[in-house]
Amino acid sequence: MAKEFKTLEELIELMESRGIVTDENTRSQLSRESYYAVINGYKQPFLDREAMSRSADDVYVSGTRFEWIYALFSFDRDLRAVTFKYLAQAEAIMKSAVVYEFCRANPEPSSYLATSSYASVGEMLFAKGFKGNRAKIHQTSITRLMRTLNAKAGGSDGKRFISHYIEHYGFVPLWVLSNDLTFWQVSHFYQLQKRSVQSRACRMISEGIGSDRRITPQELLRAFSVLVEFRNICAHDERLYCAKVGKSGDVGYYEMAEILSWILPEKEFDSFLSDIATLFTMREEPLRVVTRESLLRDMGFDVSGMGES
């Protein structure tokens, strides 16, 4: 049965009936945020598991305050803002490298609309452990990509910079069109590239960050897969700090950060780490009962050498 609408006062009464301590700020905080987003999204560290085994409803650890749950919600919002900033930088780097190397290998302006410019099924890069009909997947993928690119090249999205090129030049080069491609669409585009283009894109990224270690085409495919999912979490205001992505749901924030280190220049990656550290320092007091160690653990970091703080 669908749950009935509840007023702010009724929501506060519901929380108090389940053991959450509210205060004079609770109503105004709930008026600005979704009850579902705050409570359902961030209640886990505050639940009394033993008591819940005997109850059909959520039961909270004695003394749990709404302000603590709200502080974790606010921390995660700030974490999304910081993370999105650097994911956007990684997206730009990855998109630029792939598009540049495709255009260098295929200088004709309309080459990106020809299926012959892309990998055959035997050349296509699949994720490690992939099992399935590769020929069918390849055909579906190339068909979908061609549909997307032709629609955008035809100005179907109504973007003015696309219309400008069509009106003045009669076509839209890929380096212009790429500004209208999403991160996921560029990921799809990369997966269908010939290995030579993929390898050169990887080299361009590694050289751009001044790294002696070369990211491999398979690693860049993984980077696209993981970073696209985390970017979408940030963009859609979903819970981030304990998020898990990937087919097996086993890739957390730590793995995402590690992948960022493959893409971002060292100075930018250091800034990313510094911003995260600053966020922890700023939010540590409001979080109170949710410790730095427990947060880092939920984010996938190894905290075995840390003391509870």
Side-chain angles (χ1 to χ4, degrees), residues 182-202:
T182 67
F183 201 5
W184 182 88
Q185 288 166 342
V186 177
S187 172
H188 187 197
F189 179 80
Y190 168 77
Q191 188 176 17
L192 284 162
Q193 293 308 305
K194 295 177 180 179
R195 186 57 60 91
S196 58
V197 172
Q198 292 173 339
S199 296
R200 286 197 294 268
C202 289

Side-chain angles (χ1 to χ4, degrees), residues 115 119 121 124 126 130 133-148 184 188 191-192:
T115 57
V121 63
M124 186 175 170
F126 287 90
F130 173 83
N133 188 325
R134 297 192 173 209
K136 183 177 180 180
I137 293 295
H138 176 268
Q139 185 57 52
T140 299
S141 296
I142 199 75
T143 299
R144 183 186 301 131
L145 179 64
M146 290 297 100
R147 186 185 302 122
T148 297
W184 182 88
H188 187 197
Q191 188 176 17
L192 284 162

Side-chain angles (χ1 to χ4, degrees), residues 94-162:
M94 294 159 74
K95 178 186 290 188
S96 177
V98 173
V99 169
Y100 177 86
E101 292 300 347
F102 176 88
C103 292
R104 192 155 75 98
N106 303 276
E108 288 297 318
S110 60
S111 294
Y112 67 94
L113 298 176
T115 57
S116 59
S117 300
Y118 298 90
S120 65
V121 63
E123 301 172 305
M124 186 175 170
L125 186 62
F126 287 90
K128 287 185 177 180
F130 173 83
K131 295 180 181 179
N133 188 325
R134 297 192 173 209
K136 183 177 180 180
I137 293 295
H138 176 268
Q139 185 57 52
T140 299
S141 296
I142 199 75
T143 299
R144 183 186 301 131
L145 179 64
M146 290 297 100
R147 186 185 302 122
T148 297
L149 294 177
N150 275 288
K152 289 184 177 294
S156 64
D157 287 352
K159 299 292 176 67
R160 293 188 63 182
F161 68 93
I162 298 290

